[in-house]
């Protein structure tokens, strides 16, 4: 049926020129003018309009997604090369958000996965002498292994080579076609294989180089199927005006609005020259463009195990997504192409697209194609996942770019995790062990009567919650560390070690101080658990709780009063080992350098250190 539509329209040959200096489209077809039925979708709870749609056949979204379910996605990573710290960064952030939402009691569906079709994959596979599918299996598994090392608690891992994904893509394509938004045309333009995208000459550097990948784009001419993106210009503009929170951070919204205002061009959604892809329904000489295919992974991932894949079922299991977390490099695909595709197919729009900044190396985006990457596996091996997760979420303001430095990494992690939190817990448990047989004398609620620390902690916990809700992950970490600072201050001001020496009432007061400080650390463990889950689990174990107890913790347990009198703490054991330069944690390199420099003159020492 789809082919019949296309063939009949091919007969109405007319030329259409799309205004681009380089890319000219000559349609062999005439699109039947599309009727502009504008259906408004309403949010089930708020009754506010959620989206526009030109498709008369709309699919109902999951009625529960507004309140109870939180669906969030990372990009589906391209398997042209193994993951690097940039891919890990988005996924760590998504994991912290997912864990926070679970603490709030939401049913979370956290989707990640791999994007496995397209020319770049076929080329990468052949350059290692393997078939595309062998290559995809290998790299996809690399991602899964890394997510395990980094304690990523994803619920769905979708591969775009999954059979269920192909079924959903074909069905979606057919819906868009049935809505009159796909036509066939010749296309000529400059193509960046690394972006898998045709480019405008004005976006390119000298020699037609892609600004992201610094490689020349290739002049290409193909007969392709096109998606009528231009038809959605007005609807997209209106949607963004009506719902400015759709694109976050807010400064990225301006960028998206200016792309749209500058005029949207239809884009080609098939490739005649690429075999490694999903065949276009009713035209197996072409495969579906990798982006058109990959974006649908967010929906096909919602198909329940063992269920017959179909769009209706997938959508009713959690669509629309609450949040697409992406890097700013792929904002246009998510904030312009994707909403238009969804409008065309009659599906709800995701509630938010958040485009974070780049981890950079020498000012350039770290990326697989440039090869200037930082190995997350090595970092986890050297410093542990708690430290890696904490550092990147704390150090890089979420939304902005950030550079990595090992010195900074060690300083931050030691100061915050080892000193402010770990040491506070260890010192307090040591005193409790020595003076109170590791047993709490009273309930923490009683111990805090008349003490300022409780209020300080309550205020800071609220702050942390608000920051998590706003996806200000760095500020959330900062608020939690402030709680630790307040606990340390209380310890130093009250000096319980000297009160214990006085005995009597002073000793009782000291025992209460220990309870207060331990309650503070307990609250830190709940509030920091989205960021550094294993560290927080170890803190809970030190406070005498079982693993099951920790697994069932919710955000409501940041409320003061959890620790009860009579509760027995574990034997004090450091929960976070300081990273020392020159220990195994930095591969012993610094130690070796120091040794070599010892006894030498200042100049010779400087030379040895510089060479190292
Ligand atoms: N340097 C980076 N900083 C932050 N996030 C990154 C970085 N590199 C990749 N990402 C994350 O991965 C997504 C892109 O995934 P992709 O698999 O295309 O990786 P890539 O390394 O950017 O690939 P390439 O270098 O080939 O363009 C980004 O949108 C972002 O979520």
């Amino acid at each position: 049926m789809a082919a019949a539509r296309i063939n009949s329209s091919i007969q109405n040959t007319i030329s259409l020129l799309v205004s681009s200096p380089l890319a000219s489209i000559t349609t062999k077809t005439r699109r039947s003018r599309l009727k502009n039925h504008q259906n408004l979708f309403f949010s089930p709870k708020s009754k506010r309009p959620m989206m526009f749609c030109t498709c008369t056949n709309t699919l109902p979204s999951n009625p529960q997604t507004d309140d109870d379910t939180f669906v969030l996605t990372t990009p589906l990573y391209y398997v042209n090369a193994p993951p690097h710290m940039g891919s890990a960064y988005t996924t760590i952030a998504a994991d912290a958000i997912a864990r926070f939402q679970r603490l709030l009691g939401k049913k979370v569906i956290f989707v990640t996965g791999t994007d496995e079709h397209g020319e770049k994959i076929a080329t990468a596979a052949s350059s290692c002498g393997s078939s595309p599918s062998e290559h995809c299996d290998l790299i996809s598994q690399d991602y899964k292994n890394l997510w395990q090392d980094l304690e990523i608690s994803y619920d769905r891992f979708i591969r775009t080579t999954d059979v269920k994904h192909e079924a959903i893509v074909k069905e979606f394509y057919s819906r868009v076609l049935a809505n009159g938004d796909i036509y066939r045309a010749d296309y000529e333009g400059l193509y960046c294989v690394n972006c898998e995208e045709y480019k405008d000459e004005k976006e390119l550097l000298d020699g037609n180089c892609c600004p992201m990948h610094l490689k020349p784009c290739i002049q290409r001419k193909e007969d392709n199927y096109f998606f009528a993106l231009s038809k959605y210009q007005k609807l997209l503009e209106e949607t963004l005006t009506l719902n400015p929170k759709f694109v976050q951070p807010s400064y990225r919204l301006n960028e998206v609005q200016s792309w749209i205002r500058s005029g949207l061009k239809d884009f080609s959604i098939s490739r005649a020259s690429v075999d490694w892809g999903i065949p276009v329904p009713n035209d197996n000489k072409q495969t579906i463009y990798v982006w058109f295919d990959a974006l649908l992974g967010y929906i096909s991932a919602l198909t329940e195990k063992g269920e017959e894949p179909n769009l209706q079922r997938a959508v009713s299991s959690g669509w629309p997504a609450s949040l697409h977390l992406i890097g700013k490099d792929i904002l246009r695909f998510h904030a312009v192409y994707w909403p238009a595709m969804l409008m065309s197919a009659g599906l709800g729009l995701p509630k938010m697209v958040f485009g974070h900044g780049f981890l950079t190396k020498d000012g350039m985006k770290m990326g697989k194609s440039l090869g200037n990457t930082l190995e997350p596996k090595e970092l986890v091996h050297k410093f542990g996942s708690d430290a890696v997760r904490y550092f990147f979420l704390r150090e890089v303001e979420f939304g902005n770019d950030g550079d990595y430095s090992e010195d900074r990494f060690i300083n931050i992690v030691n100061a915050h995790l080892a000193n402010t939190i770990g040491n506070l817990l260890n010192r307090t448990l040591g005193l409790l062990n020595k003076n109170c047989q590791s047993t709490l004398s009273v309930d923490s609620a009683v111990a805090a009567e008349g003490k300022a620390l409780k209020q300080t902690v309550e205020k800071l916990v609220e702050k942390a919650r608000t920051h998590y809700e706003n996806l200000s992950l760095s500020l959330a970490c900062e608020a939690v560390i402030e709680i630790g600072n307040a606990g340390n201050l209380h310890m130093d001001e009250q000096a319980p070690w000297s009160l214990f020496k006085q005995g009597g009432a002073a000793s009782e007061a000291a025992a209460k101080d220990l309870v207060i400080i331990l309650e503070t650390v307990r609250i830190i463990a709940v509030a920091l658990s989205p960021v550094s889950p294993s560290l927080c689990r170890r803190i809970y174990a030190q406070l005498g709780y079982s693993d099951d107890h920790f697994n069932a913790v919710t955000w409501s347990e940041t409320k003061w009063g959890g620790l009860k009198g009579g509760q027995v703490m574990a034997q004090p054991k450091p929960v976070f080992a300081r990273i020392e330069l020159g220990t195994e944690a930095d591969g012993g390199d610094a130690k070796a350098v120091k040794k070599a420099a010892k006894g030498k003159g200042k100049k010779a020492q400087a030379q040895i250190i510089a060479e190292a």
Side-chain angles (χ1 to χ4, degrees), residues 78 84 86 90 120 213 327 329-330 356 359 365-366 368-369:
Y78 211 39
H84 57 89
T90 317
K120 202 156 64 159
H213 297 104
D329 51 335
I330 52 176
H356 64 68
L359 300 186
K365 171 186 174 257
M366 208 183 272
K368 290 185 294 242
S369 298

Side-chain angles (χ1 to χ4, degrees), residues 74-82 84-91 115 120 143 194-195 212-213 291 325-331 334 356-361 364-373 401-402:
T74 70
L76 305 188
Y77 301 105
Y78 211 39
V79 294
N80 56 323
H84 57 89
M85 197 54 232
S87 354
Y89 176 63
T90 317
T91 316
D115 173 9
K120 202 156 64 159
Y143 277 90
N194 286 305
C195 293
M212 192 79 75
H213 297 104
W291 267 108
L325 205 59
I326 55 166
K328 61 183 176 181
D329 51 335
I330 52 176
L331 188 60
H334 286 78
H356 64 68
F358 291 151
L359 300 186
T360 54
K361 211 161 180 192
M364 290 296 294
K365 171 186 174 257
M366 208 183 272
K368 290 185 294 242
S369 298
L370 280 183
N372 57 347
T373 55
D401 292 354

Side-chain angles (χ1 to χ4, degrees), residues 342-359:
L342 289 164
M343 286 170 178
S344 171
L347 303 186
L349 302 196
K351 286 173 202 147
M352 187 187 287
V353 175
F354 188 102
H356 64 68
F358 291 151
L359 300 186

Side-chain angles (χ1 to χ4, degrees), residues 189-469:
L190 285 164
Y191 194 75
C192 171
V193 180
N194 286 305
C195 293
E196 295 276 17
E197 193 187 16
Y198 279 101
K199 299 280 184 187
D200 251 347
E201 194 179 13
K202 58 177 186 275
E203 302 173 45
L204 301 177
L205 306 175
D206 286 350
N208 291 331
C209 275
C210 164
M212 192 79 75
H213 297 104
L214 306 180
K215 297 213 172 96
C217 296
I218 317 159
Q219 187 74 29
R220 278 227 172 131
K221 188 174 178 191
E222 270 197 4
D223 170 20
N224 289 150
Y225 294 99
F226 278 77
F227 173 65
L229 179 67
S230 55
K231 176 185 150 186
Y232 291 91
Q233 166 131 4
K234 191 121 198 68
L235 286 178
L236 285 169
E237 275 174 27
E238 283 167 3
T239 303
L240 292 181
T241 310
L242 211 67
N243 183 10
K245 288 233 158 109
F246 178 66
V247 177
Q248 291 289 312
S250 52
Y251 45 87
R252 300 227 190 282
L253 174 68
N254 303 336
E255 211 174 315
V256 172
Q257 283 175 319
S258 97
W259 287 333
I260 298 174
R261 268 197 305 272
S262 72
L264 294 181
K265 287 178 212 136
D266 298 350
F267 68 98
S268 106
I269 55 166
S270 73
R271 295 289 181 268
S273 54
V274 180
D275 292 337
W276 182 241
I278 298 175
V280 167
N282 298 315
D283 184 352
N284 57 18
K285 289 205 180 69
Q286 302 239 3
T287 54
I288 293 179
Y289 171 47
V290 61
W291 267 108
F292 194 89
D293 156 357
L295 288 162
L296 280 156
Y298 300 142
I299 293 181
S300 56
L302 299 174
T303 308
E304 304 284 350
K305 238 192 184 144
E307 222 178 51
E308 183 70 18
N310 97 28
L311 208 45
Q312 167 92 60
R313 263 196 219 112
V315 162
S316 64
S317 304
W319 195 256
S322 318
L323 172 65
H324 286 322
L325 205 59
I326 55 166
K328 61 183 176 181
D329 51 335
I330 52 176
L331 188 60
R332 194 195 307 244
F333 294 103
H334 286 78
V336 181
Y337 292 16
W338 180 224
M341 287 162 59
L342 289 164
M343 286 170 178
S344 171
L347 303 186
L349 302 196
K351 286 173 202 147
M352 187 187 287
V353 175
F354 188 102
H356 64 68
F358 291 151
L359 300 186
T360 54
K361 211 161 180 192
D362 306 322
M364 290 296 294
K365 171 186 174 257
M366 208 183 272
K368 290 185 294 242
S369 298
L370 280 183
N372 57 347
T373 55
L374 185 66
E375 276 300 319
K377 241 188 201 146
E378 271 174 31
L379 286 183
V380 175
H381 179 70
K382 262 166 107 171
F383 305 121
S385 78
D386 285 317
V388 174
R389 292 170 61 111
Y390 179 79
F391 174 77
F392 285 101
L393 296 186
R394 170 66 182 82
E395 178 68 355
V396 185
E397 194 186 318
F398 204 48
N400 292 344
D401 292 354
D403 227 52
Y404 170 80
S405 122
E406 185 165 294
D407 281 352
R408 181 102 186 116
F409 183 103
I410 293 174
N411 288 340
I412 293 256
V413 160
N414 276 347
H416 297 180
L417 303 186
N419 294 352
T420 307
I421 299 176
N423 235 353
L424 178 64
L425 175 64
N426 202 249
R427 282 161 79 201
T428 316
L429 287 180
L431 285 171
L432 194 80
N433 185 30
K434 191 168 160 202
N435 299 289
C436 313
Q437 290 83 48
S438 293
T439 307
L440 304 186
S441 58
V442 285
D443 290 358
S444 53
V446 174
E449 279 165 15
K451 302 279 181 181
L453 182 60
K454 176 175 176 253
Q455 275 157 5
T456 309
V457 171
E458 283 170 346
K459 270 193 204 137
L460 289 169
V461 161
E462 243 347 87
K463 219 169 153 183
R465 180 192 167 120
T466 308
H467 289 316
Y468 275 124
E469 280 172 344

